[in-house]
Amino acid sequence: MNARRQTPLDIPQPAVEQTARRILSDLRALANPMRAQGVQQYFKHAVVALGIDTPTLRSYTRDQIKTLKSRWTLAESVALCDKLLQEPELEVRGTGILILSAFEKEFTPQLTETAERWLKTRLDNWALVDSFCGSVLSPLLEQHPSVEATLRRWSQNRVLWVRRASLVTLVPFARRGRLLDLAYELAQEHFVDPEDLMHKATGWLLREAGKTNSQRLRDFLLKHGPAIPRTALRYAIERFPGPVRNQLLTATRE
């Protein structure tokens, strides 16, 4: 019988458990209940937040990375991220993502298997998904172009957050004029997506794609016209001058 391939999450690591408990305790001690109430306005559904401001959270995370980077490998960082993503608080889960991102030089394509599971079960709002894409999935794609095939597959997934990740991962590349064929291909797939968050992601990706080639974006929008959700269109044309925006809004109406 062939042995099952071992993954980082199969490796027993008492140090990971201890570190996760310490980080959880530290972050909860930094909680600001009044600030946490304000976080809710950015989300359409209920979220759990500690109310830690971004500079404080990033400073704390940098300190953790300095300590862990010299002693840990990718396996431990994945295991720690898995532990922290099981907690309800946004800041705790975000810390797990940022610590994992510090090990990007060790990323392998197999990380997409764990990433897909997290997107289906642990990453349940746009802020965490977008952070995960920018911090983990985009660097992974940078190192391993074969991940493009995974993004194409994810684009058709029934889970909203998996689909969103397929687009948001491409944003840093589109901004620099890279992988534009893939960006336009996947964006077009989501014109019929029922989710408003996908329309926003589609428009965001198209807007970034237009930064280095505005004529290609303009031609694309005019070609597909009424098929493009209006939310996606409005996001996509934000960088055009006012008269051009108005022209595109009119020309693409049904």
Side-chain angles (χ1 to χ4, degrees), residues 227-241:
I228 306 172
R230 299 307 279 183
T231 297
L233 179 67
R234 290 182 185 278
Y235 271 62
I237 65 176
E238 283 180 348
R239 298 288 178 174
F240 285 113

Side-chain angles (χ1 to χ4, degrees), residues 4 24 53 72 74 115 136 198 237:
R4 182 171 66 89
L24 188 59
D53 63 85
W72 278 14
L74 177 64
V136 176
M198 290 306 301
I237 65 176

Side-chain angles (χ1 to χ4, degrees), residues 45-83:
H45 58 281
V47 297
V48 180
L50 293 171
I52 304 172
D53 63 85
T54 299
T56 298
L57 186 63
R58 289 193 175 274
S59 176
Y60 175 82
T61 303
R62 283 195 299 270
D63 290 342
Q64 302 311 305
I65 290 171
K66 287 178 184 177
T67 301
L68 300 175
K69 193 75 185 295
S70 62
R71 298 189 283 113
W72 278 14
T73 66
L74 177 64
E76 286 92 352
S77 67
V78 170
L80 176 66
C81 189
D82 188 71
K83 294 290 183 186

Side-chain angles (χ1 to χ4, degrees), residues 25-36 49-52 89 91:
S25 176
D26 289 347
L27 292 178
R28 286 177 176 168
L30 294 171
N32 182 333
M34 291 187 64
R35 185 181 179 85
L50 293 171
I52 304 172
E89 298 95 341
E91 294 91 341

Side-chain angles (χ1 to χ4, degrees), residues 13-20 71-72:
Q13 297 168 39
V16 171
E17 295 277 0
Q18 295 169 6
T19 301
R71 298 189 283 113
W72 278 14

